[in-house]
Amino acid sequence: RRYLSNYDRVQHRKEMDAAIERVFGRLSSRDVLERLDRAQIANARINSVQEFLEHPQLAARQAWREIDSPVGPIPALLPPVRMEGVDSRAGSIPALGQHTHAILEELNFDRESIARWKTDGII
C-alpha cells in the first residue's frame, strides 16, 4: 500500500494549484507575503544564499563561526540548539582521505589490507 501525504490526498489538487498560480503568479514576492500575512496563513520567503549568510537573526544569535577547511577558512553555522554552560563546537573540515586509515582500523580491517588498498589506489 502506497503512503499518501496530505498533499496527495487533496481531490482537486491540479485545479487548486492552477487557481493559486493564476492569482499569485502575477504578484511580486512582497505582495504574496503581505496577502498571506493578512489572511494569517503561515508562510516564509525563500532567501538567496547571500540573504541567508547576512540574515540579521543569525547575526544577532552569533550563529556563525569561522572554521578551517582544506581550501582555507570558511563560515559555518552552529547547531540551532544551545544549552547554558555548553559551548557549541565547530571543528575544522578534514581533507579528503585524512581519516580513512583510522576509520578502516576502527572497523577492524587489518593494516596489511589497508596498505594494499592504498598501494592499489582503492583508497
Side-chain angles (χ1 to χ4, degrees):
R1 183 174 167 176
R2 181 167 124 25
Y3 171 77
L4 295 177
S5 69
N6 287 337
Y7 182 87
D8 295 325
R9 293 173 200 239
V10 175
Q11 285 183 351
H12 300 285
R13 167 66 55 199
K14 288 181 183 177
E15 295 87 347
M16 186 179 76
D17 285 347
I20 291 169
E21 181 61 34
R22 274 194 307 278
V23 173
F24 287 94
R26 295 175 282 164
L27 301 173
S28 69
S29 295
R30 173 177 273 168
D31 291 338
V32 169
L33 293 174
E34 286 174 3
R35 284 187 180 202
L36 293 172
D37 286 342
R38 274 196 314 270
Q40 297 182 338
I41 297 172
N43 67 84
R45 133 182 127 72
I46 298 174
N47 291 324
S48 68
V49 171
Q50 193 61 40
E51 289 168 326
F52 171 71
L53 292 171
E54 296 171 354
H55 196 284
Q57 185 64 30
L58 295 175
R61 294 195 63 195
Q62 299 176 339
W64 293 103
R65 293 293 183 276
E66 190 171 90
I67 63 170
D68 289 326
S69 82
V71 296
I74 60 170
L77 191 59
L78 292 175
V81 176
R82 309 278 173 87
M83 293 183 284
E84 190 173 330
V86 177
D87 189 28
S88 294
R89 186 175 169 287
S92 59
I93 298 171
L96 183 62
Q98 182 176 337
H99 301 297
T100 301
H101 192 90
I103 291 169
L104 290 172
E105 281 187 348
E106 214 172 295
L107 293 171
N108 293 320
F109 288 101
D110 61 88
R111 291 182 180 198
E112 294 77 28
S113 294
I114 296 170
R116 187 175 64 255
W117 294 337
K118 187 169 184 164
T119 301
D120 293 345
I122 295 170
I123 58 171

